[in-house]
Amino acid sequence: MTTAPSTPALSVNTHLRVATSALLLLALTSLHHAYGAMAFGTPWRLHVLLFVVPAAIVIAVLLYAGWVANTARSARLLTWAAAAVVFVVPIVLVGYVEGGYNHVFKNVVYFGFGEAAFHAIFPTPPYEMPKDLFFEITGVAQFPLSLLTTVLTVRMLRSFGK
């Protein structure tokens, strides 16, 4: 049986925090898109599952493998690979693009500058006017969760330098 390295840089808490945050972000976007598909009659929103399910599996496997790796070099490589996937899918694509642009910025434009400005930047479809509270809350919530995931992932990577 393989045991986890005893170095503090590779603590289970570090990897577990990143895994939890990234996987929660992917679960949130899955819920958000599934709800949007049903609420707005837009089944194409379910396309997100084609990206988030494989990404969740890859992230979980790589972070676990990085934690239980037999050598510091293997642990570093596996953890960096996991971080790369975390940065691309949950953080950038889901958090910054979907949560930040598609929801935070969209709501700022709509509530701050009005419906005409909204339609000029966010055509319908594919964008929905902010009229469904649950859809908007779950959409906006992706952004702060991605910021937390960013901080945790950077901390995890910096822990290798200590």
Side-chain angles (χ1 to χ4, degrees):
M1 178 192 286
T2 304
T3 58
S6 60
T7 61
L10 300 174
S11 76
V12 69
N13 287 336
T14 303
H15 285 72
L16 189 58
R17 285 183 185 128
V18 171
T20 301
S21 183
L23 297 178
L24 278 173
L25 187 50
L26 294 175
L28 176 61
T29 201
S30 297
L31 171 69
H32 169 75
H33 281 84
Y35 176 81
M38 290 186 309
F40 302 113
T42 51
W44 55 265
R45 290 180 195 275
L46 296 174
H47 76 283
V48 76
L49 297 175
L50 298 173
F51 300 98
V52 298
V53 171
I57 293 167
V58 168
I59 290 165
V61 167
L62 287 173
L63 283 172
Y64 178 76
W67 177 63
V68 299
N70 289 327
T71 67
R73 184 171 194 266
S74 296
R76 181 174 284 114
L77 288 172
L78 291 162
T79 300
W80 273 89
V85 177
V86 169
F87 277 119
V88 170
V89 181
I91 292 175
V92 173
L93 295 178
V94 171
Y96 298 164
V97 174
E98 169 64 12
Y101 179 77
N102 290 349
H103 288 281
V104 173
F105 183 62
K106 176 183 86 170
N107 280 285
V108 167
V109 169
Y110 180 78
F111 291 110
F113 301 97
E115 197 171 322
F118 168 83
H119 286 298
I121 299 172
F122 299 98
T124 52
Y127 296 97
E128 298 293 335
M129 290 185 50
K131 60 185 175 193
D132 186 298
L133 189 60
F134 182 79
F135 185 71
E136 293 306 324
I137 288 172
T138 57
V140 168
Q142 296 168 109
F143 184 67
L145 187 51
S146 70
L147 296 176
L148 173 63
T149 306
T150 302
V151 169
L152 293 172
T153 304
V154 168
R155 283 184 188 164
M156 178 183 69
L157 295 175
R158 285 186 177 167
S159 71
F160 283 110
K162 295 181 179 180

